[in-house]
Amino acid sequence: MASVLASDLVFEGNVSGAGDLHIDGTVRGDVKVGRLTVGETGNVEGGVQADIVEVRGRIVGAVVGKQVKLLGTAYVDGDISHEQLSIDVGAYFQGRCLQVRKGEPTPVSHHPQAAPSMGFSAPSYAQPVPAPAPVDAGQLIELKPASA
């Protein structure tokens, strides 16, 4: 039987445990449980980690799970690290999908909303990508095919 955070409740702080959690209210903090369901009225503002994550509501933060399901009413803004991922038609997702194979360590998320307490860190890139040169209105730009 899952613990339930009702739709009229707001919880500020981190939540952790080995059991099942169903969120219909709001959590402002990280959530680390065995199985997480975010209901249609549920809202998580922080990182999420669970073996099974089912989202009908809203998550703004990194998601780490073996099985991650975004149903049609889901809104997720953050990277998802997963073994299995399904996204239904109608779901909103902005971020990167990072597939993890069984036995590999879970990659570190690079989402700015992720909290240090869950082991997330800022990305590091080998070389910076140069910004494109500004283009003046009315300037003619000649496109050439790439050389082989």
Side-chain angles (χ1 to χ4, degrees):
M1 174 112 107
S3 298
V4 177
L5 183 69
S7 61
D8 59 343
L9 294 176
V10 175
F11 185 88
E12 296 197 19
N14 298 334
V15 179
S16 64
D20 298 356
L21 178 62
H22 183 103
I23 298 174
D24 284 327
T26 297
V27 174
R28 292 188 182 114
D30 298 332
V31 177
K32 184 176 182 180
V33 293
R35 179 187 181 113
L36 176 66
T37 303
V38 179
E40 287 189 24
T41 60
N43 180 30
V44 178
E45 298 171 13
V48 167
Q49 184 174 352
D51 287 337
I52 300 171
V53 180
E54 186 174 288
V55 184
R56 291 183 171 91
R58 181 177 181 267
I59 297 176
V60 176
V63 177
V64 178
K66 290 181 182 175
Q67 293 180 331
V68 179
K69 292 182 183 181
L70 307 184
L71 288 104
T73 55
Y75 176 101
V76 176
D77 184 357
D79 293 346
I80 299 176
S81 299
H82 61 87
E83 286 182 18
Q84 297 176 3
L85 174 64
S86 68
I87 302 176
D88 285 356
V89 172
Y92 174 86
F93 167 61
Q94 179 165 320
R96 293 183 305 160
C97 299
L98 306 165
Q99 186 175 26
V100 180
R101 305 229 186 256
K102 290 181 184 178
E104 290 181 7
T106 303
V108 176
S109 174
H110 304 298
H111 192 276
Q113 294 287 339
S117 63
M118 292 187 66
F120 302 136
S121 65
S124 61
Y125 300 101
Q127 297 200 2
V129 177
V135 176
D136 293 332
Q139 179 181 0
L140 180 63
I141 298 176
E142 184 178 345
L143 300 176
K144 299 179 183 178
S147 307

